[in-house]
């Protein structure tokens, strides 16, 4: 028995140490440096909460937070509505079932960065060509070049990509619902709408919770799509929090300052996830 | 089984929707085969003559085969070592969850899933470059270690459903803990190993952020990183760029066409655990 214990320790202790060295230690370092004025090189001093106060006063950071929230909330809602509809469609009695499922899942396997580059071209050249051909004024200009509309382009690409994964999750939930329930409801005279709200939705509520929390968390970390589509522009209108931390930290010599920003960002993500879980779980129970 | 009639309305709506997914890929393929003068015409049209010139040029300019080799090298080693090590660690934790240390480890790995990468990014890059890990091997090590967070979660759910009696029988026959894992448990984990392998390979193959911040030597750039560098330099020649994108996407698409059934069910299993 003693020997068995030591084998388990020999397995887990290195894993624990490696994880600590490459994950937790850098995180703790980041928190430590957030209280200093380190530029990423040279000397440093403790500055207390100065970086944190400055992040709150920083307009650029404020804009990045606003943009990221706006983007993440809109994208989360859209992704969940669309993928739920697609999943219900794929779960009903249809032709080409396997092919359609394979197509809808396809975006999940593609690199977001490259997908972003392709959509960049679609927004810049293809849609304006369509706009010109049909005389649709609103399409003739590249929306990514418009500070007020560029975020919509990023939402479109993010949703295009994320629907695939969320659809699969909803589908996993839907296949567990027995056909008999719907039969019984039909006999009782329930319509499509009633069946959805009284049967489908309550039964897939756990999947709805997971999808909402995961999508919001992932969208709050948006990076690849923005690099590929706008690079944060025009101006700074689509600069997300991760892009700001990356730029300021690596290119702007703001190591300590962006570390403070990263800590705030971390707290925001945790708070959002917890609130969402609490709220959605409560609703699940009531159902 | 066939109580319901085929719904043609839903089928047609889904087909229409699938065009939205296929269209960007259609555009990528046709533009990759076109010449710059053809770009002036209708973008929807097929290329006049399907020429491979763009591909030849893109291969040269992006050093495509080098990037492909780098991506393949990283992905293969990450997948092999992730499956071997993460399953072992999960097993050790799963069988000792009643003990404080292992329970702590379980929640420790799990909670790390909620830490956004930017919070560790800046110090991590400093640290890895100081230790000479700003290369492909460093990238592989980081992926394997970071994967623990999610994989411990899905492996443990599966391992706990495997009856302990199986292991006890093997120990009676004189097997060591080590032997029990590799001969009894690891083979039983096959479906989860496949799931982990699929999710891990997609993650390593498509990741952009970690190679971007970690790799300083251009020779080591992976496929997504090469597209990024390339885009910055030759953004005006779309035919060339699209040939390059298509080549970067093609390996995964080809694998997907042949293995989509396993890929979809693998990802599904991993996500509903």
């Amino acid at each position: 028995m003693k020997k068995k214990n030591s084998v388990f320790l020999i397995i887990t202790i290195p894993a624990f140490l490696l994880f600590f060295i490459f994950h937790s230690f850098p995180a703790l370092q980041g928190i430590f440096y957030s209280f200093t004025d380190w530029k990423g090189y040279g000397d440093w001093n403790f500055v207390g909460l100065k970086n944190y106060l400055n992040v709150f006063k920083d307009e650029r950071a404020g804009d990045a937070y606003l943009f990221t929230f706006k983007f993440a909330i809109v994208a989360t809602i859209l992704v969940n509505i669309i993928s739920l509809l697609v999943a219900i469609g794929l779960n009903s009695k249809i032709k080409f079932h396997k092919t359609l499922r394979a197509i809808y899942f396809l975006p999940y396997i593609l690199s977001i960065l490259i997908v972003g580059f392709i959509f960049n071209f679609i927004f810049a050249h293809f849609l304006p060509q369509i706009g010109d051909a049909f005389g649709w004024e609103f399409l003739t200009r590249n929306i990514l070049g418009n500070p007020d509309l560029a975020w919509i382009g990023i939402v479109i690409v993010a949703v295009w990509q994320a629907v695939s994964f969320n659809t699969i999750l909803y589908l996993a939930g839907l296949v567990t619902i027995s056909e008999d329930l719907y039969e019984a409801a039909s006999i009782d005279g329930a319509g499509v709408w009633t069946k959805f709200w009284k049967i489908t939705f309550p039964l897939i509520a756990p999947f709805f919770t997971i999808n909402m929390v995961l999508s919001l968390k992932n969208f709050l970390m948006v990076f690849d799509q923005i690099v590929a589509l706008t690079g944060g522009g025009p101006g700074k209108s689509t600069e997300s929090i991760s892009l700001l931390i990356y730029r300021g930290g690596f290119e702007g010599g703001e190591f300590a300052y962006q570390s403070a920003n990263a800590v705030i960002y971390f707290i925001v993500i945790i708070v959002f996830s917890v609130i969402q879980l609490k709220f959605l779980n409560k609703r699940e129970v009531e159902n | 089984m066939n109580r319901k009639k085929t719904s043609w309305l839903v089928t047609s709506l889904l087909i229409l929707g699938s065009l939205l997914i296929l269209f960007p890929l259609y555009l990528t393929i046709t533009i990759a085969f076109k010449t710059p003068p053809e770009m002036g015409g209708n973008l929807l049209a097929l290329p006049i003559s399907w020429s491979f010139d763009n591909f030849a040029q893109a291969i040269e300019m992006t050093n495509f085969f080098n990037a492909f080799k780098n991506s393949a090298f990283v992905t293969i080693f990450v997948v092999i070592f992730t499956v071997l090590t993460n399953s072992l660690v999960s097993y050790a934790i799963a069988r000792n969850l009643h003990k404080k240390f292992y329970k702590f480890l379980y929640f420790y790995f799990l909670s790390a899933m909620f830490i956004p990468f930017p919070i560790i990014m800046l110090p991590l890059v400093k640290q890895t470059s100081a230790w000479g890990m700003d290369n492909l091997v460093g990238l592989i090590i980081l992926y394997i270690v970071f994967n623990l967070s999610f994989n411990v979660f899905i492996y443990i759910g599966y391992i706990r459903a495997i009856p302990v009696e199986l292991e006890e029988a093997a120990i009676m026959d004189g097997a060591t803990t080590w032997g029990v894992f590799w001969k009894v448990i690891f083979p039983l984990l096959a479906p989860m190993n496949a799931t982990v392998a699929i999710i891990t390979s997609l993650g390593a193959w498509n990741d952009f952020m970690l190679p971007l911040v970690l790799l300083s030597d251009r020779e080591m750039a992976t496929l997504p990183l090469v597209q990024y560098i390339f885009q910055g330099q030759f953004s005006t020649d779309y035919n060339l760029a699209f040939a390059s994108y298509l080549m970067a996407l093609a390996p995964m698409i080809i694998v997907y066409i042949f293995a989509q059934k396993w890929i979809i069910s693998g990802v599904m299993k991993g996500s509903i655990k």
Side-chain angles (χ1 to χ4, degrees), chain B residues 56-157:
Chain B
Q57 220 182 326
I59 286 174
E60 205 183 312
M61 291 176 95
T62 60
N63 204 351
F64 173 79
F65 291 110
N66 183 56
F68 180 84
K69 199 188 75 204
N70 291 340
S71 276
F73 173 74
V74 170
T75 307
I76 289 169
F77 279 96
V78 169
V79 169
I80 293 174
F81 284 105
T82 298
V83 169
L84 294 180
T85 62
N86 290 6
S87 61
L88 187 61
V89 172
S90 308
Y91 172 68
I93 297 176
R95 285 290 180 254
N96 293 290
L97 264 184
H98 52 280
K99 292 182 195 145
K100 260 191 193 147
F101 172 65
Y102 295 93
K103 196 167 196 150
F104 158 75
L105 269 189
Y106 177 64
F107 287 108
Y108 173 59
F109 288 140
L110 225 61
S111 59
M113 265 200 283
F114 280 89
I115 297 185
F117 182 65
I119 196 176
I120 64 167
M121 173 170 76
L122 303 169
L124 180 73
V125 170
K126 285 269 157 215
Q127 187 178 324
T128 45
S129 72
W131 292 354
M133 281 176 64
D134 47 353
N135 49 38
L136 295 177
V137 176
L139 195 61
I140 292 172
I141 294 173
L142 289 181
Y143 281 134
I144 298 169
V145 174
F146 291 169
N147 284 340
L148 267 173
S149 264
F150 177 69
N151 291 343
V152 156
F153 180 54
I154 67 168
Y155 269 127
I156 286 184

Side-chain angles (χ1 to χ4, degrees), chain B residues 228-240:
Chain B
Y228 174 66
I229 298 167
F230 177 69
Q231 166 77 15
Q233 287 171 336
F234 309 99
S235 55
T236 46
D237 192 336
Y238 287 108
N239 305 100
L240 207 54

